[in-house]
Amino acid sequence: MAYSKGTGRWIGEGRQGDHTSLFSCYSPGHLEGNDTIKLFLTSGDLVVSCYFLTRGRSSKIRGNLIGLFTSRGLAPTFRIMNSTYSGVFHFNLSMDINHNAWFISIPRETITYNTDIAPIEQWFVSISLQDGLSAYTTEGTLLDLIREPILQWELGERISHSQFIKMIPHVINIRIAKCPCANDVVILGIICDKTLEGVYLGLTMSGFWDDNGTSWYNLTENVCSVLSEDCLDFSFVDVVLTNHHLILLTSLGLFTSEDLRYPKKRLRFSRANFCGFEREDYVRAKLWYHERCLANREDFEDDFVAITFDKNKTLSQTSTCFYSIDPFVTWRPCLPKVRKSGKIVSSRVVSFIIDPEQKSAIYLMKTQERISVSVRSLQHNKPRLHIKFPSFIFPKDFFLALGMVLHPRSHFLYVFGNQVWLSTDGGNSFLVVGYMSNDPIKRTYHSFYTSAIVFLSVSSTVYISKAGLRTYTKYGKVKARTYEIYHDHVGIGILVTLDKKTYNGVKKHSLLSTSVLTSVDGNVAFNTSLAPQYITSTSIIFFAYAPLNKSWQDNKDLRFSDIHAGKQLRSSSTGFAHVVKVLEHDDIVGFPTSAITEVLKPFKVEIPIDSPCLSSAITIEKDVNPFYKISLHLNALGTLFKFKRSDIQKTVVIPGYSSFLIIKFINYTQALALATMPMLVPFNKTFKENEWLLYDFSMQFASTWSISPTVCNHWIQHDDIQTSRSIIKYIDIGDKYTFKIRIIPKVSKGALVFQMPHAEVFTGHPNLMEIDSLSYWDDTDSYIIEITAFNRYLRQGMTTISFVVWQASTFCYLSTIILTLKSSCSYMKYMYLIPNQEISMSAWENGTHKNELGFNMIKTLPENYRPPSHLGIAIPLTDNFYNADPSKPKPRNLFPESKVTGKYKKCFNKSSRAECNCSTAEKFSYTTEFSDCREKVPRYKFPVSQYPISLILLTEDHKELKMEPPFLVTVTEVNQRENWKIKQNMPENMKKLKNYVESKIFLPVYNPKDLNLSITGSELFHFRVVVIPGVTFCNFYDEFQIYVDDVPLPFPGRILIAATTAVVLGGIIFVAFMLEMYNIKVWKPFKHIIIRKRKGSFTIRPIRIFTEERKTGEECAKDT
């Protein structure tokens, strides 16, 4: 398998022939026949056709290749992925006869259910075919056309092709703004001369790969309508496209569009009010924006834009730097107000950036004497008065600072000007990356996907680097007069120019091509001689010579620097080595810097024909400090061979001892030299011929060596192959995540001489969570780094962990892996309730599902149904309608209490149920939000007892976990109904926590494990289960509904009859017992009671009984 550098694709050699093929895939109507795959998702199914892109061969050969693979049962696989999602689909094992291609049709709902307009990550796609040991893989992108905000607008008045062609001669510069979530969606702005006023923007959704895909708009009227005065001398300056807004910098001010998520017929703008600034100030102003995709935006994430004016503050101006946060209504000064005390040093903010990971404001400051970076923490999105840590002051030779930028989706901070500096800790410290003293860097261009960085100098020279690397490659100058550099979504570098011959006036070029740049060799050698010092047979230290008679200022360019690390040092004759590490040292005179290299191909050794002195013997003596004298002596044959003039600045190499760089000749038999390792100088020892060697790495007469970018000598593997290279992981409280990368050398070196780690790891916010790391080498010389992140703290935020192969070449397609960890709840993590009865979708649609007893478990609700309340069945008090239909009457709506309640949600301001536009998912949703759409609910027979509430937690890794302590839940009835209760078993160690939480929220709290529900009421009950916050960042909740049917009559008739019967029978038995006890004749007393008066019959007997009892008592007393 081979790799295609130009397109960033893997290609393979098939066994069927010598063809080298790439897949070409397209959606109907888009970009057919291009080796860069750009697919587009609409409201319908995603239809993709793929075939082998056979270079210059007929479609018949293409069809034969597909038929050959298909006959063997082979068809490509189609993978869709972004930072959190991955899905795999398979092409049909048949061929589209009309196009000689494999095809696949994927329903939109399989990829995404959402159709709302919002920032969404542009997907990456990968089409791969495995044929034995041969693999064919091509990468591309998939863009959702109906959700991307900027694509839903008509930006302004359309500009025709003929109109735009006439405008091209007036264009003096171009500005590009990429969509943060979809880098293929690009806004192209043109800066025109004074003869052409106005704001003109182009919009493309294919990253300029579609020659006809750029539309041009005139936004002059949209912007001028905001101003109260006439738009005179009005021109475009710069543009920024944030997640939700389009921001335009013009000569008449800064304008912000309305929210792009809510499209209208016309795009309107608002103007930011900065007092005291004139037209010239806006023309020289700069916008600063940190590109970060806010799809699935968290509460702690914000978009920000800053503007700086290239001038010192005057009395009429509050500041020369302002910033704002989405929705960009209020613009605040970048610097907090300070009280004037003592002497104030005049300073100016060159650039301002907000660090989203550490929540801090970073300032690039310039005074009359020095340039510095200071950092302030943010409190309520406002910088604090005191700086976070002491300001970093750059050396005096860094005198021109032009900007500062954070690499997209990372924590690498770059400061650029006449030098380039890199900070990996948020501005606390910096390391120099490169010196561009005479040609300062004016702009930078970045790709989050490949970590590529392009530095563009004032003279239009292009420098290429990778995020985190302290090296770069210098290329030539851009030939075009008007151009802009851009990276598409897969990181391909493109140079965009304007051309009258193209359909839309836009032409793209490959950035690193001879048609665009004056040079592409990337040689970064400096004009001095090198002295090789062997350490082993495969390891050499090259010392760079700095003439002793020159000043440090003159020698500063004659040094190894970090730019050389990871490159190849080549001899003009033969041999090359890989620069592993650059060293600086002050104790070796004449050699302030050196480079450790690994020899990949042996270097040429001088021979006696070229240097006759090699046939003589030599001795080493100490001369005037710091020189050593090399003397030639007779050889074994008694012959003396002398030095030649061309031997100057060649290196004498003596195995096991120090090497010596010849500086000058005393005579033709003696020379003065500098030692690379003075501690290993062999005094009083004679070395015969063939015991010493001579190497030529001089620059005295001609260039004998060069340093150029090396081919990539490693692969990087990471264990999260289910997502794209930009990886986002959510870690909840108490969760742990392990991530591992493997750096595989392309050529195994066996036992490593220098056991130096192959990668560096940087953390953007090290205090957010605990991060442990482990690194080691395995048996295949692969270097493995394993990090484990454990979230112990109730603190939301995010941090990036960057793995940088510091030895990597800038030619490597992948040298940096950036992992983003969010201390938050994943949008793919949720809780759900397992229903007590499994009912199929067909049964729901039919409304019939009978259990083993023949009882129908589905209840179809009446139109505009509302459940009963505690006042009775006929008096509903809830605001929730079920099975809403605005065209039908509302039942149970007679009482005043019921008339003032009940509100439509989905059917609000609709005249019929059809206008409610309820989807199938909404009709079967239990949530209160879609109660209008709910038609059918689960039905149970009265009474409902011990109904199990089984809660399952589904993680983003698709693992199902049963919810149990320490989670606690509340259960409420959303319609405030009663006649239900919960049975639970609360562990002893959770009771204290339960009581505490109940005292705070004033609701009963339950253990989610083994919950049981009993209902003694009738009709619909709608329950909501909510997880108590504190043990998770997620707002877990779920709802379920139960319709209780076959309930006894509300009036308890049977109970009353049974009670009355029991009382009567009990009374009869009691009376019979009393009559029998006192030997009363039933009929005589009854007859006597009827005849006589009531008073007489009841006044004699009690007296008689009372008297008898009293006498009896007296008799007992006498006896006693």
Side-chain angles (χ1 to χ4, degrees):
M1 186 171 62
Y3 183 75
S4 174
K5 182 68 176 72
T7 59
R9 308 289 188 267
W10 288 100
I11 59 178
E13 295 287 337
R15 294 186 304 178
Q16 287 75 24
D18 59 353
H19 60 275
T20 299
S21 304
L22 287 169
F23 285 112
S24 179
C25 301
Y26 63 93
S27 298
H30 297 283
L31 281 177
E32 182 177 356
N34 202 317
D35 59 356
T36 298
I37 299 176
K38 303 289 182 181
L39 303 177
F40 302 94
L41 182 63
T42 61
S43 57
D45 296 347
L46 175 64
V47 179
V48 181
S49 298
C50 286
Y51 55 85
F52 279 120
L53 189 64
T54 52
R55 308 288 183 180
R57 301 192 182 187
S58 64
S59 59
K60 182 178 180 181
I61 296 178
R62 182 177 75 190
N64 292 338
L65 282 173
I66 296 176
L68 183 61
F69 281 105
T70 304
S71 64
R72 296 165 54 197
L74 297 176
T77 58
F78 184 77
R79 180 186 292 272
I80 302 176
M81 52 193 168
N82 59 18
S83 60
T84 57
Y85 163 82
S86 176
V88 178
F89 308 91
H90 299 278
F91 281 85
N92 298 322
L93 272 175
S94 58
M95 186 172 61
D96 187 351
I97 303 299
N98 297 328
H99 299 91
N100 288 330
W102 284 294
F103 70 94
I104 188 174
S105 179
I106 306 172
R108 177 184 175 87
E109 293 76 14
T110 307
I111 303 173
T112 177
Y113 282 102
N114 300 320
T115 56
D116 59 310
I117 300 173
I120 177 177
E121 280 191 274
Q122 184 176 0
W123 289 289
F124 296 96
V125 297
S126 174
I127 293 89
S128 59
L129 175 65
Q130 187 73 35
D131 179 24
L133 298 178
S134 298
Y136 305 86
T137 303
T138 306
E139 294 177 347
T141 58
L142 172 64
L143 178 64
D144 194 338
L145 296 181
I146 68 173
R147 297 196 65 193
E148 183 57 43
I150 192 68
L151 298 181
Q152 316 308 317
W153 291 81
E154 192 75 13
L155 299 183
E157 181 184 352
R158 286 262 185 172
I159 300 176
S160 65
H161 170 68
S162 58
Q163 290 175 325
F164 184 73
I165 295 301
K166 295 178 181 179
M167 297 167 60
I168 292 179
H170 302 283
V171 178
I172 59 177
N173 214 335
I174 304 173
R175 288 289 181 266
I176 278 180
K178 299 186 291 185
C179 176
C181 294
N183 285 177
D184 281 347
V185 178
V186 181
I187 293 290
L188 184 67
I190 55 175
I191 302 175
C192 304
D193 56 27
K194 294 183 179 180
T195 61
L196 184 62
E197 296 183 354
V199 176
Y200 308 97
L201 299 181
L203 174 63
T204 180
M205 62 183 183
S206 65
F208 302 108
W209 286 94
D210 187 354
D211 294 334
N212 302 328
T214 304
S215 302
W216 288 96
Y217 301 91
N218 184 355
L219 279 74
T220 306
E221 184 179 349
N222 302 55
V223 179
C224 286
S225 62
V226 181
L227 302 175
S228 56
E229 66 274 8
D230 294 334
C231 286
L232 298 177
D233 202 9
F234 184 41
S235 61
F236 168 82
V237 179
D238 204 352
V239 60
V240 166
L241 181 58
T242 70
N243 287 271
H244 301 152
H245 298 269
L246 177 65
I247 297 179
L248 298 176
L249 177 61
T250 70
S251 59
L252 296 182
L254 184 65
F255 298 87
T256 304
S257 74
E258 56 190 316
D259 199 321
L260 299 175
R261 292 173 295 176
Y262 311 104
K264 299 175 184 177
K265 292 183 179 179
R266 178 187 174 119
L267 183 62
R268 300 182 183 275
F269 291 83
S270 60
R271 186 175 185 267
N273 294 319
F274 305 126
C275 297
F277 295 97
E278 305 295 334
R279 180 191 182 279
E280 292 75 13
D281 299 329
Y282 284 106
V283 171
R284 296 172 58 191
K286 293 182 180 180
L287 296 178
W288 306 102
Y289 175 64
H290 174 42
E291 178 188 320
R292 184 175 290 273
C293 178
L294 297 185
N296 308 308
R297 180 179 178 178
E298 301 287 342
D299 295 336
F300 52 81
E301 293 181 308
D302 286 303
D303 242 351
F304 94 97
V305 173
I307 180 173
T308 56
F309 294 91
D310 188 15
K311 63 179 298 184
N312 294 324
K313 187 173 76 70
T314 62
L315 295 177
S316 62
Q317 299 161 352
T318 59
S319 178
T320 58
C321 174
F322 301 88
Y323 78 99
S324 183
I325 294 176
D326 193 342
F328 309 108
V329 175
T330 304
W331 292 81
R332 302 186 181 97
C334 301
L335 289 170
K337 292 183 179 180
V338 295
R339 294 181 179 179
K340 296 182 179 181
S341 59
K343 184 178 179 180
I344 303 298
V345 178
S346 177
S347 61
R348 179 169 60 88
V349 180
V350 178
S351 180
F352 175 83
I353 287 178
I354 289 181
D355 182 356
E357 297 185 37
Q358 296 192 8
K359 289 296 180 182
S360 59
I362 308 176
Y363 303 82
L364 177 60
M365 307 292 295
K366 180 180 181 181
T367 63
Q368 292 181 352
E369 298 181 354
R370 303 297 285 269
I371 295 172
S372 64
V373 167
S374 59
V375 181
R376 287 181 168 89
S377 297
L378 292 178
Q379 186 176 21
H380 306 300
N381 290 328
K382 297 180 181 179
R384 291 185 174 181
L385 180 61
H386 300 288
I387 60 176
K388 192 173 182 180
F389 33 72
S391 299
F392 182 87
I393 301 176
F394 293 96
K396 289 186 177 181
D397 58 343
F398 183 37
F399 55 85
L400 180 62
L402 296 180
M404 177 175 62
V405 63
L406 273 170
H407 185 74
R409 309 189 190 187
S410 77
H411 201 248
F412 296 117
L413 178 67
Y414 287 88
V415 173
F416 56 89
N418 68 308
Q419 297 175 2
V420 177
W421 291 77
L422 167 64
S423 174
T424 58
D425 55 9
N428 184 27
S429 62
F430 285 84
L431 293 171
V432 67
V433 175
Y435 299 90
M436 294 82 175
S437 302
N438 301 321
D439 192 14
I441 300 299
K442 64 177 182 179
R443 289 180 67 86
T444 64
Y445 305 89
H446 304 256
S447 169
F448 79 93
Y449 188 65
T450 61
S451 299
I453 302 176
V454 176
F455 299 107
L456 182 66
S457 72
V458 173
S459 67
S460 297
T461 302
V462 172
Y463 301 84
I464 303 292
S465 185
K466 293 282 189 174
L469 294 185
R470 291 186 288 275
T471 183
Y472 61 89
T473 301
K474 180 180 178 180
Y475 292 91
K477 297 180 180 180
V478 179
K479 297 179 181 179
R481 181 182 65 88
T482 303
Y483 63 91
E484 182 66 317
I485 297 174
Y486 156 74
H487 290 96
D488 71 356
H489 202 65
V490 293
I492 300 176
I494 298 171
L495 190 89
V496 180
T497 60
L498 301 182
D499 192 339
K500 294 181 180 180
K501 299 179 182 179
T502 59
Y503 179 79
N504 295 121
V506 179
K507 188 174 183 179
K508 68 172 181 63
H509 313 264
S510 177
L511 179 59
L512 300 181
S513 64
T514 55
S515 62
V516 170
L517 303 179
T518 57
S519 174
V520 293
D521 59 359
N523 184 14
V524 289
F526 44 94
N527 189 24
T528 192
S529 299
L530 301 182
Q533 174 69 60
Y534 272 86
I535 304 301
T536 66
S537 59
T538 59
S539 181
I540 299 178
I541 300 179
F542 283 93
F543 290 83
Y545 171 59
L548 302 180
N549 57 353
K550 293 185 179 181
S551 65
W552 180 89
Q553 188 70 20
D554 295 331
N555 287 334
K556 69 176 183 178
D557 293 330
L558 306 179
R559 302 165 60 93
F560 282 110
S561 63
D562 288 331
I563 184 180
H564 303 109
K567 294 183 171 58
Q568 277 189 357
L569 192 155
R570 288 181 172 270
S571 172
S572 58
S573 54
T574 184
F576 57 89
H578 177 69
V579 179
V580 176
K581 191 174 184 179
V582 173
L583 304 176
E584 294 185 1
H585 28 71
D586 299 328
D587 56 337
I588 305 178
V589 179
F591 303 108
T593 60
S594 61
I596 301 175
T597 64
E598 291 181 355
V599 179
L600 303 178
K601 183 179 181 181
F603 293 102
K604 177 188 175 183
V605 180
E606 293 294 287
I607 58 177
I609 297 177
D610 299 324
S611 296
C613 62
L614 285 168
S615 299
S616 299
I618 63 170
T619 57
I620 310 296
E621 301 175 12
K622 181 65 177 177
D623 202 272
V624 179
N625 192 49
F627 294 101
Y628 296 86
K629 184 169 65 175
I630 301 177
S631 301
L632 298 178
H633 301 280
L634 298 175
N635 59 16
L637 300 177
T639 307
L640 178 64
F641 292 89
K642 301 178 181 180
F643 289 114
K644 290 178 62 176
R645 181 173 175 269
S646 59
D647 292 335
I648 194 73
Q649 293 192 6
K650 291 184 180 181
T651 305
V652 175
V653 175
I654 304 174
Y657 298 95
S658 173
S659 297
F660 300 88
L661 179 68
I662 299 175
I663 302 300
K664 63 180 180 179
F665 298 130
I666 301 174
N667 51 52
Y668 286 108
T669 61
Q670 292 181 327
L672 294 181
L674 291 175
T676 58
M677 292 186 174
M679 300 298 293
L680 296 179
V681 175
F683 294 115
N684 302 320
K685 187 174 179 63
T686 300
F687 296 93
K688 300 178 182 179
E689 61 175 318
N690 298 329
E691 291 183 351
W692 63 283
L693 308 171
L694 200 63
Y695 284 87
D696 185 9
F697 290 94
S698 64
M699 287 284 192
Q700 183 73 13
F701 303 104
S703 177
T704 60
W705 61 275
S706 63
I707 298 180
S708 58
T710 183
V711 295
C712 195
N713 57 4
H714 70 270
W715 291 288
I716 297 181
Q717 289 181 349
H718 61 85
D719 55 3
D720 195 347
I721 60 174
Q722 300 302 319
T723 57
S724 68
R725 197 168 297 137
S726 176
I727 309 164
I728 298 179
K729 286 296 178 182
Y730 295 83
I731 305 181
D732 207 346
I733 303 175
D735 287 351
K736 184 185 295 185
Y737 174 68
T738 300
F739 182 79
K740 182 169 63 177
I741 69 166
R742 180 189 301 269
I743 302 168
I744 307 171
K746 288 187 176 180
V747 179
S748 177
K749 303 178 181 64
L752 298 178
V753 178
F754 297 100
Q755 287 284 339
M756 291 184 293
H758 291 176
E760 294 176 297
V761 182
F762 302 101
T763 305
H765 191 355
N767 298 325
L768 182 64
M769 57 186 72
E770 291 185 6
I771 299 177
D772 297 325
S773 63
L774 174 66
S775 60
Y776 54 92
W777 283 268
D778 64 7
D779 295 336
T780 63
D781 286 342
S782 297
Y783 184 68
I784 299 171
I785 300 179
E786 183 176 329
I787 65 106
T788 300
F790 186 51
N791 195 0
R792 296 180 182 271
Y793 314 114
L794 188 61
R795 183 168 53 207
Q796 286 189 290
M798 69 176 180
T799 180
T800 56
I801 300 179
S802 304
F803 303 85
V804 181
V805 183
W806 60 273
Q807 295 179 344
S809 166
T810 56
F811 274 13
C812 291
Y813 187 61
L814 183 60
S815 63
T816 303
I817 293 288
I818 299 176
L819 169 68
T820 301
L821 300 180
K822 290 188 177 183
S823 177
S824 183
C825 177
S826 171
Y827 69 95
M828 299 176 65
K829 184 179 181 180
Y830 62 92
M831 179 193 75
Y832 67 93
L833 183 139
I834 299 178
N836 195 24
Q837 289 284 339
E838 293 289 341
I839 301 177
S840 64
M841 182 57 67
S842 60
W844 278 114
E845 293 173 352
N846 297 331
T848 303
H849 177 79
K850 295 185 179 181
N851 61 9
E852 62 275 5
L853 300 177
F855 183 78
N856 187 13
M857 300 296 292
I858 298 177
K859 172 68 177 180
T860 302
L861 299 174
E863 289 85 357
N864 297 318
Y865 171 79
R866 285 192 291 169
S869 70
H870 65 282
L871 298 179
I873 293 178
I875 313 177
L877 300 178
T878 179
D879 286 333
N880 299 318
F881 279 104
Y882 297 83
N883 195 13
D885 189 348
S887 64
K888 299 292 180 64
K890 300 176 182 178
R892 299 177 179 177
N893 206 36
L894 301 177
F895 292 89
E897 293 85 352
S898 300
K899 292 181 179 180
V900 297
T901 57
K903 299 176 183 178
Y904 290 129
K905 295 180 282 291
K906 187 77 173 177
C907 297
F908 182 69
N909 284 340
K910 302 296 190 299
S911 59
S912 65
R913 181 167 179 80
E915 294 182 3
C916 299
N917 196 24
C918 292
S919 65
T920 303
E922 293 170 350
K923 290 180 180 180
F924 292 100
S925 174
Y926 287 107
T927 59
T928 308
E929 181 182 359
F930 301 116
S931 64
D932 288 2
C933 300
R934 186 76 191 193
E935 298 175 350
K936 303 179 181 70
V937 294
R939 178 172 176 254
Y940 287 84
K941 195 171 184 178
F942 180 88
V944 177
S945 66
Q946 304 300 314
Y947 180 90
I949 302 178
S950 301
L951 301 174
I952 298 297
L953 186 64
L954 185 66
T955 67
E956 59 181 333
D957 298 328
H958 306 291
K959 295 180 181 179
E960 293 185 348
L961 305 175
K962 191 171 183 180
M963 186 163 284
E964 55 186 19
F967 291 101
L968 296 175
V969 299
T970 61
V971 182
T972 57
E973 211 286 330
V974 298
N975 297 315
Q976 290 80 46
R977 298 202 60 189
E978 300 174 353
N979 302 322
W980 60 273
K981 64 179 180 179
I982 296 290
K983 181 182 179 182
Q984 65 165 337
N985 180 22
M986 183 64 69
E988 289 294 331
N989 58 351
M990 296 295 294
K991 287 184 178 179
K992 187 175 181 179
L993 178 60
K994 171 184 179 297
N995 296 334
Y996 174 79
V997 174
E998 288 179 341
S999 67
K1000 296 295 182 181
I1001 65 175
F1002 306 105
L1003 286 173
V1005 176
Y1006 305 102
N1007 173 15
K1009 185 178 181 180
D1010 301 329
L1011 276 180
N1012 289 294
L1013 170 68
S1014 296
I1015 302 176
T1016 56
S1018 63
E1019 297 198 12
L1020 182 65
F1021 284 81
H1022 189 162
F1023 295 97
R1024 181 182 178 93
V1025 183
V1026 179
V1027 175
I1028 299 299
V1031 294
T1032 177
F1033 291 121
C1034 301
N1035 296 319
F1036 284 140
Y1037 72 93
D1038 198 8
E1039 299 180 23
F1040 66 98
Q1041 298 162 356
I1042 295 177
Y1043 192 93
V1044 183
D1045 215 344
D1046 283 1
V1047 182
L1049 294 174
F1051 181 78
R1054 289 182 292 180
I1055 297 177
L1056 291 176
I1057 294 172
T1060 304
T1061 303
V1063 170
V1064 172
L1065 291 176
I1068 293 173
I1069 294 172
F1070 177 76
V1071 172
F1073 173 77
M1074 294 299 294
L1075 294 178
E1076 183 66 22
M1077 180 178 178
Y1078 292 101
N1079 195 21
I1080 298 173
K1081 303 298 182 180
V1082 178
W1083 295 107
K1084 288 182 179 182
F1086 184 75
K1087 183 178 180 181
H1088 187 67
I1089 290 171
I1090 294 175
I1091 296 174
R1092 300 183 64 179
K1093 295 180 179 180
R1094 181 183 300 271
K1095 182 177 180 180
S1097 61
F1098 286 98
T1099 55
I1100 298 173
R1101 187 176 181 83
I1103 295 174
R1104 180 177 61 82
I1105 296 172
F1106 175 76
T1107 303
E1108 290 177 356
E1109 289 179 354
R1110 186 173 181 179
K1111 288 181 179 180
T1112 304
E1114 292 177 352
E1115 291 176 356
C1116 293
K1118 291 179 180 181
D1119 295 338
T1120 304

